[in-house]
């Protein structure tokens, strides 16, 4: 459904000239479609960016699980948790968890 740019009368989608006032009406529709295409491009860009952001989230996730399992396993067995592993846990898994790990003494 379209409306004449000049007189505002409702016109057919395929109409080139407005039956109400005789003005050409094709240009406005082209401009509107262009705007829609711009929105489509913008939404595509944001969707792709979102996918990339999600992809980046997978990388830290791939770190989180092995680090957590390794730290928990070492603590359960009473083995010392290396400083490097603690720092990795702090950076990649949990800031507070890593701080607690660093504060915790391995020696018993
Ligand atoms: Zn008109």
């Amino acid at each position: 459904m379209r409306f004449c740019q000049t007189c505002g009368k409702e016109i057919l989608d395929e109409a080139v000239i407005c039956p109400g006032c005789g003005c050409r009406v094709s240009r406005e529709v082209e401009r509107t479609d262009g705007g829609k295409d711009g929105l489509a491009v913008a939404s595509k860009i944001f969707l792709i960016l979102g996918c990339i952001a999600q992809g980046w989230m997978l990388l830290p996730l791939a770190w989180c699980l092995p680090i957590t399992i390794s730290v928990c396993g070492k603590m359960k067995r009473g083995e010392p948790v290396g400083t490097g592993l603690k720092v990795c846990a702090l950076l990649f898994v949990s800031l507070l968890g890593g701080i607690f790990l660093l504060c915790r003494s391995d020696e018993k």
Side-chain angles (χ1 to χ4, degrees), residues 16 19 21 68 74-75 108:
V16 179
C21 66
T68 306
K74 278 178 186 287
M75 285 195 292
K108 282 185 178 174

Side-chain angles (χ1 to χ4, degrees), residues 1-6 9-18 23-38:
M1 184 125 4
R2 288 161 66 194
F3 296 94
C4 173
Q5 200 182 340
T6 311
K9 191 181 161 120
E10 191 180 307
I11 49 170
L12 293 170
D13 282 354
E14 57 269 27
V16 179
I17 292 165
C18 170
C23 291
R24 289 184 67 85
V25 289
S26 56
R27 296 282 173 265
E28 174 60 23
V29 170
E30 280 166 22
R31 213 178 298 151
T32 307
D33 285 345
K36 276 176 187 170
D37 283 343

Side-chain angles (χ1 to χ4, degrees), residues 11-92:
I11 49 170
L12 293 170
D13 282 354
E14 57 269 27
V16 179
I17 292 165
C18 170
C21 66
C23 291
R24 289 184 67 85
V25 289
S26 56
R27 296 282 173 265
E28 174 60 23
V29 170
E30 280 166 22
R31 213 178 298 151
T32 307
D33 285 345
K36 276 176 187 170
D37 283 343
L39 277 176
V41 169
S43 61
K44 274 181 200 168
I45 288 167
F46 278 101
L47 282 174
I48 290 163
L49 282 174
C51 286
I52 292 166
Q54 296 283 344
W56 278 105
M57 288 297 285
L58 286 175
L59 206 65
L61 266 179
W63 280 91
C64 287
L65 282 173
I67 290 170
T68 306
I69 291 164
S70 176
V71 169
C72 290
K74 278 178 186 287
M75 285 195 292
K76 197 177 177 184
R77 290 191 297 270
E79 292 172 11
V81 182
T83 309
L85 192 60
K86 288 177 185 175
V87 172
C88 281
L90 184 146
L91 288 175
F92 296 113

